[in-house]
Amino acid sequence: MTTQAFDPARGRWIPWVFVGGMGLVVVVNGLLIWFALSTFTGVSTPRAYDRGRTYNDVLAEAARQDALGWSTQLRLAGPVLEVSALDANGATLSGTLEGVLRRPLTGAEMPLTFMSVAPGHWAAMADPAPGLWETRLVLRNASGRLDIRQRLVVP
């Protein structure tokens, strides 16, 4: 019967496999933590908790604006943003219009200066870059105030 001599150097690498595996896990977890902390937080509304607590006020304001019965139409014709507004009876609305174009993802804003071109019709020069934009406009007259939010896709 032959006996093999025990060679302690032969299995010396086995513990290092476990150390290397754990080191790989630590590096990968570190990368995931870094990506999680350095990218978009997911919060698109500042003070989201406070705004959530006052959400009934937001609903009441939406109901008040719906009760006005006003309707608006937006159209981007080349570098000009055109807005038209009608009241609940279909008559044109007069008043002042102000607002901005805003990129939803980056938050970049483009201020708009509206001029009345006809009763119930306004126009502003806006030459946005291609992509998704959101209009944040406010129409005011003696009868009330209307917040206009509409998304535009610029080709």
Side-chain angles (χ1 to χ4, degrees):
M1 182 161 175
T2 61
T3 60
Q4 287 185 334
F6 176 69
D7 185 12
R10 186 172 159 190
R12 198 171 285 192
W13 60 272
I14 294 174
W16 290 108
V17 170
F18 290 106
V19 170
M22 291 306 293
L24 179 67
V25 168
V26 168
V27 168
V28 168
N29 283 339
L31 281 172
L32 290 174
I33 290 169
W34 181 77
F35 280 123
L37 294 175
S38 66
T39 58
F40 180 58
T41 63
V43 176
S44 59
T45 304
R47 300 173 47 103
Y49 177 74
D50 294 334
R51 185 165 169 122
R53 289 184 47 116
T54 60
Y55 191 64
N56 286 337
D57 297 338
V58 173
L59 292 177
E61 177 65 17
R64 184 197 62 75
Q65 289 187 26
D66 287 344
L68 289 173
W70 294 356
S71 63
T72 58
Q73 251 188 337
L74 280 78
R75 187 171 80 102
L76 190 61
V80 178
L81 179 63
E82 300 172 351
V83 179
S84 60
L86 302 173
D87 67 6
N89 300 323
T92 57
L93 283 169
S94 61
T96 60
L97 186 64
E98 58 189 30
V100 296
L101 275 178
R102 185 172 192 265
R103 282 268 202 202
L105 186 60
T106 63
E109 289 189 351
M110 179 184 300
L112 300 171
T113 305
F114 284 95
M115 295 174 37
S116 181
V117 293
H121 298 281
W122 297 267
M125 293 301 294
D127 196 13
L132 182 64
W133 290 85
E134 180 181 48
T135 59
R136 293 187 172 202
L137 309 177
V138 178
L139 172 61
R140 289 185 180 92
N141 73 4
S143 302
R145 170 182 186 255
L146 180 66
D147 292 328
I148 304 167
R149 302 273 196 269
Q150 184 175 329
R151 291 204 168 179
L152 298 172
V153 177
V154 179

